[in-house]
Structure formats: structure tokens, C-alpha cells
Amino acid sequence: MILQTDKRLQKERPAIRPYGCAFMSMAYLANKYLDYEFSIEIIIASYDDCVESRVMSEDCFINSWHGLAEFFGFEIIKQIPVHKDRKYECSSDEMEILLWRLPRGDGKLWKHFVAGNGKGITTYDPWGVSLTATTGILDSKRVLKLV
């Protein structure tokens, strides 16, 4: 399993380590559902393509969740809002990426995206076992409706 903390990714595309959790979660879902190759080389090439197409910024901010899903090969219905409440349960034709948050001592929040099972349970944590996803609070979901 490839994680955003992988030293090869840190060397080649350093922004993935601190900020690539949503990107890595989508790559994982593509591997799981579409047999998308999940290798260091493919992840680096995908990062470059997503940045070049402006689906994602260099610091891994997702500019278009629909665009990111389509980049990885998902056929989705674009009219459906992506941002959902944490209590939302996906139907069988939807997939989710969860946003966890954890208060820090300085009054700010740690935030971390992971792949979910449709019911708010983490199935892939791109950090490995992140403190935010294991002890934090589920904040919201990014839900994509598949065709």
C-alpha cells in the first residue's frame, strides 16, 4: 500500500506528504474500483497531470472534485453537490472521501481526508494511521455519484 508519507513521493513531489491526502484517497478509490495502477510512478505522473489541468493546485488543494474523479476514470453525475454532511449515508452508486478534523493546542485544526466505505468508516488512510482520522471528529464527506 502506497502512502502519502512514502519517501519516494516526498523526494519527487514534496507537497504530497503534507497535503496530498484527498488526492491519494481518490487514487486509492480508482485502484479499488477501476483497477487504476497504484504505483509511485503513476501517482507522480497523475499529480503532474492534475496540476497541469488545474483540477488540483501544486499544494494538492482540490479545485474540482468532479474533475479529479473524472481524471482517475470515474463516470460521475456532475449535478449532484459533492460536499455532504457527516451523517449522510451513501447509496450503492456513490463513493465517499471523508474529512476528519482534530483540534490542535494552538486553537487551529488538523484536517485530513481518507477514503470511506459509504457509511463514514475509513477504508484507506493515506497517512497510514493518522492521529486526525483515529482520534478526531468526522467533519464532512465528499460524495460522488457514479453513472
Side-chain angles (χ1 to χ4, degrees), residues 5 11 19 26 56 67 80 83 98 103 109 112-113 133-134 138 142-143:
T5 55
K11 179 181 176 189
Y19 306 117
M26 188 67 76
M56 178 177 78
I80 307 299
H83 191 275
L98 311 172
L109 293 173
H112 185 55
F113 287 102
T134 55
L138 181 58
R142 304 304 179 265
V143 175

Side-chain angles (χ1 to χ4, degrees), residues 81-84 88 90 94-96 141-145:
V82 174
H83 191 275
K84 300 284 186 184
Y88 181 86
C90 293
E94 294 176 320
M95 65 179 186
E96 69 182 7
K141 300 178 178 190
R142 304 304 179 265
V143 175
L144 294 154
K145 189 166 189 71

Side-chain angles (χ1 to χ4, degrees), residues 84-101:
K84 300 284 186 184
D85 182 82
R86 65 189 176 104
K87 294 179 182 175
Y88 181 86
E89 285 205 25
C90 293
S91 61
S92 61
D93 62 346
E94 294 176 320
M95 65 179 186
E96 69 182 7
I97 294 180
L98 311 172
L99 175 60
W100 292 89
R101 63 181 165 86

Side-chain angles (χ1 to χ4, degrees), residues 2-5 9 14-29 38 43 47 56 59-62 65 68 72 96-100 110-116 124-128 130 132-133 142:
I2 298 171
L3 303 174
Q4 73 186 87
T5 55
L9 286 177
I16 293 176
R17 180 181 168 83
Y19 306 117
C21 50
F23 169 74
M24 293 292 291
S25 293
M26 188 67 76
Y28 166 81
L29 290 172
F38 202 54
I43 289 170
Y47 169 90
M56 178 177 78
D59 67 354
C60 297
F61 180 83
I62 308 303
W65 284 92
L68 184 64
F72 281 106
E96 69 182 7
I97 294 180
L98 311 172
L99 175 60
W100 292 89
W110 289 111
K111 294 182 179 181
H112 185 55
F113 287 102
V114 300
Y124 166 75
D125 183 344
W127 194 262
S130 68
T132 305
R142 304 304 179 265

